[in-house]
Amino acid sequence: MNNIYDNRQFFDQYSKMSRSQQGLSGAGEWHQFKALFPELSGKSVLDLGCGYGWHCKYAVECGAKQVLGIDLSEKMIHEAKAKNADSKITYRVCGLEEYDYPANSYDCVVSNLVLHYIADIDTIFRKIYLTLKADGVFLLNIEHPVFTAGVNQDWIYDSNGRSQHWPVDDYFYPGERVAHFLGLDVTKQHHTLTQILMGLIKAGFRLDVVEEAMPSADMMDIPGMSDEMRRPMMLLIKSVKQA
Amino acid sequence: MNNIYDNRQFFDQYSKMSRSQQGLSGAGEWHQFKALFPELSGKSVLDLGCGYGWHCKYAVECGAKQVLGIDLSEKMIHEAKAKNADSKITYRVCGLEEYDYPANSYDCVVSNLVLHYIADIDTIFRKIYLTLKADGVFLLNIEHPVFTAGVNQDWIYDSNGRSQHWPVDDYFYPGERVAHFLGLDVTKQHHTLTQILMGLIKAGFRLDVVEEAMPSADMMDIPGMSDEMRRPMMLLIKSVKQA
């Protein structure tokens, strides 16, 4: 995972996004992601790429007894400790690739919008499988392959600046993609749908939900939101470690 | 399902495609689809949209004791009886929506490149679930949502006629799409990935393989084949009726 979230300019811009200002209710996919959470009362939760810690705090509010949130970005962990502290939550600066994933330790692992920064998702999926208890749940939100295979991850515009369509290319060549996001060039990793789903299945997971994020009806008044109906941006997955 | 395959002009063009002339070995996805077949020795097989009957014949060669191939097109069934007849195979002119799907009757159901003509795939998935025996396998190849959401299901070309990228639009508005194919306007049905996978999961299936069709290395010399690496055209799925 790269460390662009520790870039001051980028982080300042990120802090102005509605998901940073308003938390979960400001995230367009939350109405769908929330519905995938299992019963968390008395459970242990690991949040991979916890960012501001919104999901960690939500897990505690749902009754989780213990939550660990890790993030590679020091600035993110700083914000998480300031905004979403709780005696049941531990925050730690640590990348997904560096974490030690203790065996059979968690009831639920959450990873929201971070795995498209990871080149080798197969290895992470296998580690998550091992760190979950039997019947443990892995909740995943990753940028959609249609989005990451988008040319420059932007629309094609006509001469009047209107968006024409979403351009896909080089779909079966996974790997680095550079997108302009929040004023900087951000390097992401494109994974095909096959890689994401077969990575999970081959790690031992059962796929219970595979769902593309779609704006809710009450969000359609927000400027630009209707374009979110034109191409999928995020892929939400609920997978279960089979006993 | 529409009946365009009974249009003489369309059918004549279809008969010139490599998958019609050469059978399974002429189908770019066969090297992947073939690998998904379960052991068929002594098994009952249903082929939904059997076309020329290549998969029916393959099932018999794999030891299937009984195969039913149905297709809405009279011309297709005529060809199947001429090209791929076998005492263990019954061919019948019948649409997927009209078939009666006897309960607990088949070990394997195959559906190759036909469900993108069906508007209500949920109902078909439920019927297939019921007609399968416990642990029965449903093998599905459907046009990929990226393909069916393609604008006119064609590339965007530059002024020199070179393909620039694959345009996706109106992804979350499923339903009719008209594509120009084999010289005629063909009406297909766009389904999102969510609809396809959740349709299967909600019907009771476990997803064992979800794989996008990708040309094999030895096909890359065929003209135009390298473009198949630029956007996914077909989605192959192996799903299992859980006991």
Side-chain angles (χ1 to χ4, degrees), chain B residues 59-92:
Chain B
V60 167
E61 289 167 0
C62 291
K65 70 172 180 198
Q66 192 185 351
V67 181
L68 173 62
I70 68 169
D71 202 293
L72 188 58
S73 160
E74 289 181 19
K75 287 183 185 293
M76 283 291 188
I77 293 296
H78 181 82
E79 287 298 316
K81 285 179 176 171
K83 281 188 162 48
N84 286 305
D86 191 284
S87 62
K88 293 174 179 160
I89 307 177
T90 305
Y91 289 112
R92 190 189 306 172

Side-chain angles (χ1 to χ4, degrees), chain B residues 126-146:
Chain B
R126 282 194 296 267
K127 289 180 176 177
I128 293 169
Y129 185 86
L130 290 172
T131 204
L132 279 169
K133 301 176 188 172
D135 297 317
V137 172
F138 175 33
L139 292 184
L140 166 60
N141 177 17
I142 187 170
E143 283 188 357
H144 197 290
V146 168

Side-chain angles (χ1 to χ4, degrees), chain A residues 166 168-169 171 194 212 230, chain B residues 166 168-169 171 194 212 230:
Chain A
W166 183 261
V168 166
D169 209 349
Y171 184 88
T194 306
E212 293 152 313
R230 300 173 61 192
Chain B
W166 183 260
V168 167
D169 209 349
Y171 184 87
T194 306
E212 295 152 312
R230 300 174 60 192

Side-chain angles (χ1 to χ4, degrees), chain A residues 8 32 34 38 87 89 110 120 126 164 172 207-208 215:
Chain A
R8 180 178 304 273
Q32 282 173 272
K34 180 181 185 173
S87 62
I89 307 176
V110 179
D120 179 7
R126 282 195 295 267
Q164 295 296 286
F172 287 114
L207 303 179
D208 276 13

